[in-house]
Amino acid sequence: MEPHRVYEPVGSEVHEWLQGATAEDRRALVDLGRQAPGGPLPRIRVQVVKADERRRRLRQSGLLWLSSAVLAMTAEVRRQVEPLVGADGEFAELPSDDGEFWMFVPHVRELLDEERSCVVRFDSGRIMYATRYAFSGAGLAEVTAFRVPQLATGPAFCSGRLVEALAAERGVTFAEVWPVKAGRSLKGLP
């Protein structure tokens, strides 16, 4: 049986993206991964970044980059994917003068196989980042998106079903991170 594929979101350089409207909003987004599971999600006000640093106009998309820990989207995209992901996380409105936006924050699940993953640790033993992921296959069949407790501020992971459901949106792409093909790792590391 082929293992379930797992993907990580990657922002587009040519599409509009979201950012916190104030320093407080940006801090709340960073702190999102440190919140207790099941606690209320912060209210993060956002604005759309419509041009790059060279003032070139960015393309619109229903799926916008905000953070690797969440999936940010328009209300229309939310309506499309909510039946698929609803049990695997929470939606929170992102107030904005630029439109109606939502973030999907996946639940934290114990699916990372630390023994088979290649991880870099802080001196404390906590995981800094992974150069190669391995996941426990049994729980993967049941979820469309998840985060792992070992990487509190780390990425949201998505199933192939969710990636397929979002295929028409180009603001975020998805890199396959598991199963790892021979000789491939993340971040260009062995």
Side-chain angles (χ1 to χ4, degrees):
M1 180 170 126
E2 184 175 318
H4 297 280
R5 297 192 185 290
V6 178
Y7 299 82
E8 179 179 9
V10 178
S12 166
E13 293 183 10
V14 298
H15 289 85
E16 294 177 344
W17 49 282
L18 298 175
Q19 68 179 11
T22 66
E24 185 178 316
D25 293 315
R26 291 186 288 278
R27 172 56 52 204
L29 184 61
V30 169
D31 291 342
L32 189 62
R34 296 182 181 99
Q35 285 189 285
L41 294 175
R43 186 169 173 85
I44 300 171
R45 187 162 185 73
V46 297
Q47 58 192 21
V48 177
V49 175
K50 297 180 180 190
D52 67 13
E53 64 278 357
R54 293 186 180 153
R55 299 184 186 181
R56 290 182 294 211
R57 180 89 175 118
L58 298 171
R59 298 178 195 152
Q60 291 184 333
S61 177
L63 188 62
L64 299 95
W65 181 259
L66 176 62
S67 159
S68 65
V70 302
L71 295 175
M73 62 199 72
T74 61
E76 181 180 335
V77 172
R78 177 197 173 177
R79 283 189 292 278
Q80 293 170 5
V81 300
E82 189 169 20
L84 180 63
V85 300
D88 292 326
E90 297 178 60
F91 283 97
E93 187 173 6
L94 296 167
S96 177
D97 294 336
D98 298 322
E100 186 179 351
F101 302 103
W102 293 83
M103 71 175 169
F104 175 72
V105 182
H107 292 309
V108 173
R109 301 194 186 251
E110 294 280 351
L111 294 173
L112 183 68
D113 184 335
E114 286 188 51
E115 303 254 333
R116 292 181 26 235
S117 297
C118 291
V119 297
V120 176
R121 296 182 184 275
F122 291 103
D123 289 341
S124 67
R126 195 169 50 91
I127 295 176
M128 184 185 310
Y129 62 88
T131 61
R132 190 171 25 241
Y133 294 106
F135 297 98
S136 58
L140 289 176
E142 303 162 13
V143 298
T144 56
F146 62 95
R147 293 179 300 140
V148 295
Q150 299 91 332
L151 298 166
T153 59
F157 295 103
C158 304
S159 71
R161 292 187 319 270
L162 179 54
V163 170
E164 287 174 19
L166 293 168
E169 303 301 332
R170 301 286 182 232
V172 173
T173 59
F174 294 90
E176 184 178 333
V177 296
W178 192 76
V180 174
K181 293 174 178 48
R184 190 184 86 191
S185 67
L186 303 174
K187 302 181 194 308
L189 302 171

